[in-house]
Amino acid sequence: MIWPTNLKPSMRKKTLVIKPVYNFEEGVLLPPIPAISLLPTWYKNMNPFLRGTSPMYSSNLGTNLTMKRCVPVRDSLGAGYLIQTSADVYLEKIIDEVTKKDTYKFHWASSLEVIETHNAEQISGLPVHLNLVDETPLKWNNPWLIQTPPGYSLYFTHPLGYPDLPFYTLTGLVDTDKHPVPVNFPFFVRRGCEGMVPRGTPIVQFFPVKRDSWKSEIKKYNSKEITSNLER
């Protein structure tokens, strides 16, 4: 996997080609941005230490580090790119007159077609956690065509580090070197949510992934190897 935002410019050998699919005036569409430039507010505000202002360890309290100092957490939150909403979107909950179930209307002050509905039959059998999300399948319309170099795909998922968003975007892996159309993103509204999703809200995070042929090898336990690794 490639983390393009973590590499020095001289090391970046691959290029994502990102093109708008609508002819809007400049500034209307918010382009995808490196995720490292839009880290979650809770993460930026988190204190890196439970006690004091430098790393410490004690036998009874353990380490004083918080997840702010965890490199894998920062690398995952800042990896790849984020696609944002290019318009304010208002979520209005209504009752469907036929099914008598909660559904939604969406409002936005833009000529962009921001959201479409999916046919519920398309997700028949999907174990949706109805205590977390509404069962109505929806879709973010993506105004960007993103093309990767040959042999590379894009892994799209809900923005990492944003569990508090009023929606949940589903995950997909797309061969964007062979798929010459924009990728749209199915999502669900979180149950009970209603109100404004401001322009600039991240709706999906994506990473370039190099396709390759893999196999796995399960080895026997080796105490010397494990001890050596832990003592590094």
Side-chain angles (χ1 to χ4, degrees), residues 84-97:
Q84 313 163 83
T85 53
S86 289
D88 293 337
V89 179
Y90 186 80
L91 310 179
E92 179 188 3
K93 184 191 296 186
I94 60 174
I95 303 296
D96 188 284
E97 295 181 356

Side-chain angles (χ1 to χ4, degrees), residues 68-191:
K68 181 70 171 285
R69 296 277 296 192
C70 179
V71 175
V73 170
R74 179 179 174 83
D75 282 354
S76 63
L77 297 180
Y81 295 82
L82 289 169
I83 294 178
Q84 313 163 83
T85 53
S86 289
D88 293 337
V89 179
Y90 186 80
L91 310 179
E92 179 188 3
K93 184 191 296 186
I94 60 174
I95 303 296
D96 188 284
E97 295 181 356
V98 177
T99 65
K100 305 302 180 184
K101 295 181 179 180
D102 289 347
T103 186
Y104 291 87
K105 283 186 177 181
F106 302 93
H107 311 272
W108 52 82
S110 169
S111 55
L112 288 168
E113 190 70 21
V114 181
I115 293 173
E116 292 182 0
T117 58
H118 260 302
N119 187 326
E121 294 179 353
Q122 292 180 293
I123 63 163
S124 177
L126 177 67
V128 178
H129 294 282
L130 297 182
N131 59 323
L132 297 179
V133 299
D134 189 88
E135 61 185 298
T136 303
L138 303 162
K139 179 170 59 180
W140 296 110
N141 285 327
N142 175 24
W144 300 98
L145 171 62
I146 308 172
Q147 295 175 300
T148 45
Y152 285 82
S153 301
L154 288 180
Y155 183 87
F156 297 94
T157 192
H158 185 83
L160 303 179
Y162 287 89
D164 55 340
L165 290 174
F167 55 85
Y168 180 74
T169 304
L170 300 184
T171 297
L173 180 64
V174 182
D175 294 346
T176 41
D177 56 339
K178 304 175 181 179
H179 190 72
V181 296
V183 178
N184 295 323
F185 313 114
F187 74 97
F188 294 97
V189 175
R190 295 195 185 275
R191 183 161 293 283

Side-chain angles (χ1 to χ4, degrees), residues 2 4 7 9 11-19 81 145-154 176-177 206 208:
I2 292 180
L7 300 177
M11 298 172 63
R12 297 178 186 176
K13 299 180 180 180
K14 304 297 181 183
T15 300
L16 291 177
V17 178
I18 304 174
K19 307 174 184 177
Y81 295 82
L145 171 62
I146 308 172
Q147 295 175 300
T148 45
Y152 285 82
S153 301
L154 288 180
T176 41
D177 56 339
F206 64 90

